[in-house]
Amino acid sequence: MMSVEVLRTENLKSYYILDIFGKKKVIKAVEDVSISIKENEIYGIAGESGCGKSTLLKAMFAAVEPPQRIIGGKVIYRDNGKEYDVYHISEEERKKFRWHFISYVPQGSMSVLNPVMKIKEIFKDFIETHTKGKTKEEIYEIAESHIRDLGLPSGILDAYPHQLSGGMRQRITIALATVLSPKVVIADEPTTALDVVTQRGVIQLLKDIQALKRNTIIIVTHDMGVHANMADRIAIMYAGRIIEEASTEEIFENPLHPYTRYLIYSIPKFGDKKKRESAPGAPPSLSNPPSGCSFHPRCPFAFEKCREEVPPLKEYKVGHKVACWRVEEGENATA
Amino acid sequence: MKMLIYFRDLMSDKRFSFGFTVIIILTVLALISVMSPYSPVRWNVVPEEKPPSLKYLMGTTSLGQDLFWIVCFSIKNSLIFALTTAFLSRVLAIVAGMISGFEGGIVDRSIMILSDSLISLPRVPVLILVGAIFREGLNLYILALVMASLSWAWDARVIRSQILSLRERDFTLTAILSGSKSLSVVFKEYFPHILPIVFASTLNNMLWAIGIETTLSILGLTNPLIPTLGTTLHWALSYQALFLGVWWWVFFPVTVLILLFISVYLLSVSISEYLDPRMRIQRIGQAR
Amino acid sequence: MVKYFLTRFLQFLIVVFLSVTLVFIIVRMMPSDPVEKTIAQITSTGTFLDPSDVEKMIKSLREMYGLEGSILSQYFQTWRRLITLNFGPSLSFFPTPVSSIIKESVFWTVGLLGVVILVSWTIGNILGVIAGYYSKKLPTAMKLLDLIFMIIRPIPYYILAFIFLVLFSYLIPAFPSQGAYSVGMMPGFNLSFIIDVLKHATLPALSMILLQTTMWFQSMKIISTGVTNEDFVIYAKYGGISNHKIIFRYVFRNALLPQVTSLSLSLGRIFGGALITEIVFSYPGLGGTLYSAIMSSDYNLIIGIVLFSIVAVSLGTLVLDFIYPLFDPRIRYS
């Protein structure tokens, strides 16, 4: 299925530049990321914590605040057939894309609701900012019908955040992010810190929204189970780089990168008592990444070239990209 | 070695380096008071009411004293007083906070009720009352004791909650299981966590102590024969120094006082920011 | 909710009990006998007194000071005086009762303190929230303000009030140096009297407002810097909500709650500052009156004012704590 691109990044680089009592420290959180996301798909980004996933999301959402900085590359939004290079337009123009075109469900979104405001007042502030000339009643009406569409009880609009459960707050946040039907919804670890039953509810809610609004969802989580359940395509991120990208089916059935295999085999399966094998060693430091392929210190198949050169992300099959010298060598051998 | 690194980090904060420099200068002035050619309590040792000159750096008073040396003595006494008060008050705070945190139950509750009461007690009327009752009999050590017993409460609370949260962590249990005595546990495991809290608040307590001492002294509610910055101003005001044009008698003590307050305050602000990890992240965000 | 009120009220009673006991103990520790001191004071004016009159006077003075009977009955006497608000007659304004002097002075102190707290709390908090919200890149004017406040903040009330007095009353004689209104002015509700009162109140009020604004500013700045980093503020920024709205509806409203608590906690200190400032400007509030009572060794008046102050401040704190839940939905609805 060929579908239209809605957002892409070109060689995006985003670092944190810190100054700790006179000592400069650079954390290379996003390094040379080029991805293309299509309309009406659920795109998953997976990786361990600290691999730069959240930084990538913030860069795509164009909400970069110091000490985070965009060092190079582009983020392109495609809205109504026109392309916008978001880091070459003004802050005011960037803000206009928010909520209408692109929206964000942040990590730990339990605490994104202002504790001293009622839910409906929070909705009002967000809606009011992005719509012109609506009365208070009309705005409340938008919020209420959206809440009803998502199957949430409309009574919660009159509640204060602390009166709701964690799962409900998470759902409210998702509702808040999608209230103006954005084309792209970015969700950062939406199921972390929730119990299993609530997790299912939240995943279902996101899927429902996608079915209802036919928009794009970019979901980031370290939980491969969630990806298996939701995503159409998955990108695997390691030490700030995308190391593999393919359709969900392909990733799970035919993972090429050794790290991807570790990630997949770390999902517990029902009735399987074998100890899960996760990648040995710790994730690399982003302020001082290893030379060459950053996975080489943990990789059982690493050889000389892996220590010296960064492998490029190359397409080996239609729709299946991977950045690994071993795959490249194997490919050359068979060719 | 570690201290040196902390110090270097702190010195990169302009507020700290300013405060530190001023405090060093004031301390030097306090120290050279031992070289004073005159006793601070003797009058008419120099000509009266001479304006500042090379001979009399800060001029002389209507009482025939060399103001420079009086100010040196005053700084010494004010600093000793502030340190004594802060020390006594911190000792009370540590003892009360630790007992409260470790004992729990009724002991904890009574100490907390007492400290709550002390926190909301208006201290100035009580201290003025103490001054009014004791008058000249109020020497700096009694005053320090009274002030210390009024100012330990807040820190005791902080220490107590710190201990309660530390007790939740593993190492207490491990230490007790491995058979070490509880007192040595207290000193080895808890002190490193409590001392930073105590250190930052010591400076604030010193500020408060000098402020109150100065105020009571200017009002004539302490022994006026002990030279402090407050009693010096007390004499100046009761001799109508400003009306008689002896402005230096007021100007220098007030200037030294203000410098002392500002520098101690800047030290305390910059140290407590340094100790508070959240604030440190703020600083990191700000730098650049 | 009910439990919160009950605990708070119980705490109030304990504070009052402990501080009255403390005052009683301090007064008992007086090195000299106040009765002898008073007699000496009267005879030193040159008045000749019959020895039997002196004897009678000593007895009545002892009664008046509550020094008759055992320590325990003296202690209960102190309580009785406090509860009935009858602290006996003042000596320096004999025979005016202490309670009516307090009543007069309270008016000036409450007026001054009320204006000072209202103005400084409002200005300090508004400036503070702006400084906290923009703390990552503070505008130059704000940086300057921050610096000036940081320098003024640690100066004690007495010294700042004294500097104001010297600057604006002696060097530039713009404002009167003492009293609440000019000598010879008849108190009344007319324009010239009100202007006179305002003129007299300007310096004491300004010096206190300046100090307290710095205090509220700095604590608000720290609190709102923290709130600005909270997820709900960051999210509101993501949502493109205007800075103005975020500052006042998101940061300010959340940072205000600790500032209300902080007001109730620092009421005692603020009151102490007012006492001292009044002394500098001989303002006829509780502070000014207390100082003249000390100067004339009027112990009834001293003790009366101190006891009254403690109870009044504790009561003020209690009231603030009682209205606190109105600000915080998290307490209101639990």
Side-chain angles (χ1 to χ4, degrees):
Chain A
M1 182 181 74
M2 259 325 272
S3 38
V4 189
E5 181 181 81
V6 68
L7 184 153
R8 78 167 180 275
T9 68
E10 290 175 9
N11 305 95
L12 188 64
K13 279 186 187 192
S14 181
Y15 297 172
Y16 291 91
I17 298 179
L18 305 178
D19 187 333
I20 306 166
F21 293 106
K23 276 164 286 185
K24 206 171 170 194
K25 196 175 176 195
V26 177
I27 294 171
K28 300 173 179 168
V30 172
E31 190 73 286
D32 241 340
V33 168
S34 302
I35 50 179
S36 162
I37 294 160
K38 311 278 184 280
E39 268 182 10
N40 197 11
E41 77 169 336
I42 298 184
Y43 187 83
I45 300 174
E48 286 164 301
S49 50
C51 72
K53 300 174 300 211
S54 294
T55 314
L56 175 61
L57 286 195
K58 282 187 189 138
M60 289 198 287
F61 185 58
V64 173
E65 285 219 8
Q68 192 191 340
R69 282 178 173 190
I70 300 294
I71 300 299
K74 286 178 181 170
V75 174
I76 309 283
Y77 292 171
R78 204 183 151 85
D79 192 15
N80 294 327
K82 269 180 82 179
E83 290 200 346
Y84 301 88
D85 182 347
V86 287
Y87 289 104
H88 283 97
I89 55 178
S90 72
E91 176 65 24
E92 285 313 304
E93 284 173 282
R94 265 202 292 275
K95 272 186 181 164
K96 283 189 191 136
F97 282 102
R98 309 259 173 90
W99 261 251
H100 279 303
F101 174 79
I102 188 163
S103 194
Y104 182 60
V105 179
Q107 194 171 2
S109 59
M110 316 284 233
S111 50
V112 301
L113 303 171
N114 186 350
V116 297
M117 279 164 72
K118 286 185 178 173
I119 303 294
K120 64 175 177 192
E121 294 177 85
I122 301 174
F123 269 84
K124 180 172 154 261
D125 276 359
F126 281 82
I127 298 171
E128 212 168 44
T129 306
H130 299 280
T131 53
K132 290 261 147 36
K134 286 220 162 41
T135 65
K136 201 167 156 185
E137 283 68 34
E138 287 170 325
I139 287 171
Y140 284 155
E141 179 50 40
I142 296 174
E144 211 178 318
S145 73
H146 180 64
I147 291 276
R148 262 199 314 266
D149 284 350
L150 301 189
L152 300 170
S154 59
I156 51 170
L157 282 170
D158 278 311
Y160 283 97
H162 71 275
Q163 294 171 300
L164 306 172
S165 69
M168 187 52 90
R169 267 184 271 176
Q170 178 74 12
R171 273 177 266 200
I172 294 290
T173 307
I174 293 170
L176 181 62
T178 52
V179 68
L180 297 177
S181 308
K183 281 197 178 151
V184 182
V185 177
I186 293 177
D188 191 356
E189 301 273 8
T191 57
T192 318
L194 295 177
D195 61 78
V196 184
V197 177
T198 322
Q199 273 188 22
R200 284 195 70 88
V202 167
I203 291 169
Q204 196 54 50
L205 179 67
L206 283 167
K207 282 171 132 178
D208 288 350
I209 290 173
Q210 206 272 333
L212 191 73
K213 314 248 164 170
R214 311 197 60 75
N215 54 8
T216 302
I217 293 181
I218 304 172
I219 180 169
V220 153
T221 168
H222 64 278
D223 187 340
M224 289 304 282
V226 172
H227 284 304
N229 198 333
M230 281 189 74
D232 300 321
R233 281 197 303 149
I234 297 178
I236 311 288
M237 207 168 167
Y238 188 82
R241 291 172 191 275
I242 302 288
I243 52 150
E244 187 161 6
E245 185 196 52
S247 70
T248 307
E249 217 170 79
E250 177 73 15
I251 283 272
F252 277 92
E253 271 169 17
N254 188 20
L256 291 176
H257 200 287
Y259 177 67
T260 311
R261 290 188 194 174
Y262 277 120
L263 274 185
I264 290 168
Y265 296 138
S266 68
I267 312 177
K269 286 196 191 78
F270 188 72
D272 185 355
K273 291 207 179 71
K274 206 172 72 198
K275 199 172 172 289
R276 294 285 131 221
E277 204 182 340
S278 60
S285 140
L286 290 175
S287 58
N288 186 20
S291 62
C293 169
S294 37
F295 188 62
H296 85 254
R298 297 167 82 185
C299 183
F301 312 108
F303 55 98
E304 204 49 40
K305 197 171 185 185
C306 301
R307 285 180 258 281
E308 284 156 6
E309 275 176 75
V310 181
L313 186 66
K314 268 178 131 179
E315 192 157 10
Y316 291 94
K317 262 191 209 170
V318 178
H320 194 158
K321 294 180 191 167
V322 71
C324 178
W325 288 125
R326 196 182 67 101
V327 176
E328 167 111 5
E329 299 279 312
E331 203 61 23
N332 290 345
T334 52
Chain B
M1 198 46 217
K2 229 179 180 178
M3 285 303 276
L4 216 67
I5 294 172
Y6 293 155
F7 183 73
R8 205 193 51 207
D9 282 355
L10 279 166
M11 280 305 261
S12 71
D13 183 349
K14 270 183 233 133
R15 294 169 302 178
F16 184 89
S17 53
F18 174 83
F20 188 75
T21 316
V22 174
I23 285 289
I24 290 292
I25 293 170
L26 292 179
T27 312
V28 168
L29 286 179
L31 287 178
I32 61 169
S33 68
V34 295
M35 285 154 51
S36 167
Y38 323 106
S39 156
V41 290
R42 294 224 12 229
W43 293 2
N44 299 320
V45 289
V46 289
E48 291 162 16
E49 301 181 4
K50 293 274 172 264
S53 63
L54 275 181
K55 187 153 184 231
Y56 306 114
L57 284 175
M58 295 182 182
T60 67
T61 71
S62 308
L63 300 171
Q65 296 172 306
D66 185 336
L67 189 59
F68 175 76
W69 292 110
I70 293 294
V71 165
C72 290
F73 279 112
S74 300
I75 296 172
K76 186 191 83 181
N77 285 334
S78 293
L79 281 179
I80 290 178
F81 170 73
L83 284 169
T84 315
T85 308
F87 176 76
L88 289 176
S89 155
R90 289 323 81 167
V91 169
L92 285 174
I94 292 173
V95 170
M98 284 198 147
I99 292 178
S100 208
F102 277 111
E103 292 288 324
I106 186 92
V107 178
D108 177 32
R109 220 171 306 156
S110 352
I111 292 179
M112 281 306 108
I113 286 174
L114 189 63
S115 73
D116 274 348
S117 312
L118 277 177
I119 287 169
S120 56
L121 176 77
R123 296 184 287 197
V124 168
V126 174
L127 286 163
I128 289 181
L129 180 71
V130 170
I133 294 291
F134 289 96
R135 289 285 168 96
E136 287 80 9
L138 192 60
N139 70 39
L140 289 183
Y141 292 99
I142 299 180
L143 186 60
L145 195 66
V146 173
M147 290 181 63
S149 52
L150 288 177
S151 61
W152 54 270
W154 189 263
D155 269 36
R157 278 198 152 266
V158 180
I159 291 170
R160 170 182 174 268
S161 58
Q162 180 75 17
I163 285 182
L164 289 184
S165 81
L166 288 175
R167 277 182 72 166
E168 300 286 307
R169 294 194 206 160
D170 295 341
F171 64 76
T172 323
L173 196 63
T174 330
I176 289 169
L177 286 181
S178 65
S180 56
K181 294 234 166 54
S182 60
L183 203 65
S184 72
V185 175
V186 168
F187 281 95
K188 267 206 210 117
E189 310 286 2
Y190 289 81
F191 254 62
H193 295 269
I194 288 168
L195 279 182
I197 308 175
V198 171
F199 190 67
S201 68
T202 299
L203 291 167
N204 283 323
N205 199 239
M206 285 175 66
L207 269 182
W208 176 70
I210 302 175
I212 293 286
E213 189 276 326
T214 309
T215 306
L216 291 182
S217 297
I218 296 176
L219 298 180
L221 297 179
T222 60
N223 183 350
L225 293 178
I226 305 170
T228 66
L229 293 162
T231 53
T232 306
L233 281 168
H234 171 70
W235 286 113
L237 295 183
S238 46
Y239 272 74
Q240 307 286 332
L242 283 177
F243 280 120
L244 299 175
V246 193
W247 54 267
W248 52 90
W249 198 0
V250 172
F251 177 78
F252 288 109
V254 168
T255 309
V256 169
L257 264 176
I258 290 178
L259 280 176
L260 182 61
F261 282 118
I262 294 174
S263 55
V264 175
Y265 180 67
L266 291 181
L267 287 185
S268 108
V269 169
S270 117
I271 291 176
S272 42
E273 264 183 35
Y274 184 71
L275 291 175
D276 183 352
R278 277 174 311 167
M279 291 301 283
R280 223 176 326 173
I281 291 168
Q282 294 288 323
R283 277 184 57 78
I284 292 167
Q286 268 171 45
R288 258 169 308 106
Chain C
M1 250 326 236
V2 177
K3 205 179 156 225
Y4 168 79
F5 285 129
L6 270 180
T7 344
R8 203 42 209 82
F9 187 70
L10 200 68
Q11 204 198 337
F12 163 74
L13 292 181
I14 293 170
V15 172
V16 171
F17 168 75
L18 285 176
S19 40
V20 170
T21 311
L22 183 68
V23 168
F24 180 78
I25 294 171
I26 293 172
V27 172
R28 286 317 102 159
M29 279 160 68
M30 194 186 310
S32 57
D33 185 344
V35 175
E36 266 168 38
K37 243 185 159 168
T38 315
I39 297 284
Q41 221 171 18
I42 295 171
T43 43
S44 73
T45 53
T47 334
F48 174 75
L49 293 169
D50 196 285
S52 66
D53 281 350
V54 172
E55 204 55 37
K56 254 195 226 158
M57 203 183 233
I58 288 177
K59 196 170 163 12
S60 63
L61 276 174
R62 291 190 72 80
E63 232 164 61
M64 209 179 71
Y65 278 130
L67 291 172
E68 288 289 288
S70 65
I71 287 279
L72 202 68
S73 73
Q74 288 179 22
Y75 180 64
F76 286 125
Q77 176 76 1
T78 309
W79 275 106
R80 204 178 55 83
R81 289 179 160 202
L82 179 66
I83 292 163
T84 57
L85 282 179
N86 173 17
F87 302 100
S90 152
L91 268 185
S92 41
F93 303 95
F94 199 80
T96 320
V98 164
S99 50
S100 59
I101 296 179
I102 291 181
K103 219 186 279 170
E104 255 171 61
S105 332
V106 149
F107 168 78
W108 296 108
T109 301
V110 169
L112 190 63
L113 212 52
V115 171
V116 166
I117 291 178
L118 209 68
V119 173
S120 57
W121 200 72
T122 313
I123 299 178
N125 279 328
I126 291 179
L127 290 176
V129 76
I130 297 170
Y133 183 72
Y134 292 112
S135 64
K136 276 185 184 154
K137 33 182 188 222
L138 213 54
T140 322
M142 267 292 175
K143 258 187 203 154
L144 197 69
L145 193 73
D146 195 23
L147 182 72
I148 294 171
F149 278 7
M150 185 126 63
I151 288 169
I152 293 173
R153 167 83 199 265
I155 298 175
Y157 284 96
Y158 193 101
I159 301 293
L160 194 73
F162 179 72
I163 292 172
F164 266 59
L165 184 73
V166 172
L167 287 182
F168 302 113
S169 195
Y170 292 119
L171 291 181
I172 312 162
F175 291 99
S177 67
Q178 55 174 349
Y181 50 88
S182 305
V183 185
M185 195 68 132
M186 272 307 285
F189 199 74
N190 54 61
L191 193 66
S192 63
F193 181 71
I194 290 172
I195 289 176
D196 193 50
V197 165
L198 289 180
K199 252 187 158 173
H200 279 79
T202 304
L203 287 186
L206 269 187
S207 70
M208 282 164 74
I209 287 174
L210 188 58
L211 264 184
Q212 284 176 30
T213 304
T214 67
M215 186 179 104
W216 295 120
F217 171 82
Q218 293 202 321
S219 57
M220 187 56 161
K221 191 184 126 196
I222 291 175
I223 297 169
S224 48
T225 306
V227 176
T228 302
N229 290 323
E230 295 257 2
D231 291 343
F232 60 85
V233 175
I234 295 172
Y235 198 56
K237 281 189 197 169
Y238 286 174
I241 295 175
S242 65
N243 281 331
H244 174 264
K245 228 183 211 172
I246 297 180
I247 291 177
F248 288 100
R249 281 169 72 92
Y250 289 72
V251 184
F252 194 65
R253 277 179 66 177
N254 279 283
L256 213 52
L257 301 174
Q259 287 292 75
V260 174
T261 317
S262 159
L263 178 62
S264 102
L265 275 176
S266 45
L267 201 61
R269 257 187 314 155
I270 294 172
F271 178 80
L275 287 190
I276 290 166
T277 311
E278 284 181 4
I279 293 175
V280 177
F281 293 98
S282 310
Y283 205 73
L286 288 172
T289 313
L290 178 62
Y291 189 56
S292 53
I294 290 170
M295 288 298 106
S296 51
S297 300
D298 187 345
Y299 289 99
N300 266 355
L301 189 50
I302 298 174
I303 296 164
I305 291 180
V306 170
L307 282 180
F308 176 83
S309 307
I310 293 172
V311 176
V313 169
S314 311
L315 206 61
T317 312
L318 181 73
V319 170
L320 276 177
D321 284 352
F322 273 12
I323 57 174
Y324 174 76
L326 295 181
F327 294 91
D328 192 346
R330 281 165 295 193
I331 296 189
R332 197 165 58 211
Y333 288 91
S334 62

